[in-house]
Structure formats: C-alpha cells, structure tokens
Amino acid sequence: MSAHCQLTGRMPGFGKTVSHSHRRTSRRFDPNVQRKRYWLPSEGRHIRLTLSTKAIRTVDTIGIEAAVARIRARGGKV
C-alpha cells in the first residue's frame, strides 16, 4: 500500500535522522494512512478508499458523497 491519501493528497515527507554524534542518515516520514470501506448510496455499492486519519475525520464531517466528488475533481479514480 502506498502512503498516499486519496482525499487530501498527503504523501511521505523526507528528512534526516540525527544521531547523538550528529551523523545524518536519510529517513521517511509516512502519513498515517488507513484503508477504509464506505457505502456509496448513489451508486449502490461499497468503495474502498486509502485515507489519512485527518481525511477520515473530514469524510465524517462532509459526508461520503461530497468526499467522492472532491476525489473525482482532483482526477482520482473511485
């Protein structure tokens, strides 16, 4: 599963781990991405979305229909 949110577009960030001796090594900051299944009443089917935890709260606020509209407006496939 790629660490990419379908609703917000959140992706991994990159940086450095700095040790006690101040040596720097590359690391990756992954967003908290979950696979979540929603019922889409307008199409009469379930959909499975890859969402960050902030996007899950957004779906709870605006509703699944509006969230799917936003994903499709960004050019995403549902």
Side-chain angles (χ1 to χ4, degrees):
M1 171 173 53
S2 67
H4 180 266
C5 177
Q6 288 179 293
L7 182 60
T8 61
R10 187 167 293 189
M11 295 193 312
F14 296 91
K16 300 284 186 182
T17 298
V18 182
S19 70
H20 179 70
S21 64
H22 218 63
R23 288 182 64 129
R24 293 160 190 238
T25 55
S26 294
R27 64 158 294 180
R28 180 172 146 154
F29 296 90
D30 285 329
N32 187 2
V33 173
Q34 313 287 323
R35 300 247 316 150
K36 192 118 168 80
R37 186 172 172 243
Y38 289 99
W39 172 251
L40 194 58
S42 64
E43 298 181 16
R45 67 184 180 108
H46 284 97
I47 57 170
R48 191 174 300 273
L49 299 175
T50 305
L51 300 172
S52 64
T53 50
K54 181 174 182 175
I56 291 171
R57 290 195 302 272
T58 303
V59 169
D60 291 342
T61 303
I62 67 173
I64 188 62
E65 297 288 344
V68 168
R70 283 188 191 182
I71 291 170
R72 288 181 173 150
R74 293 184 66 217
K77 186 178 176 185
V78 177

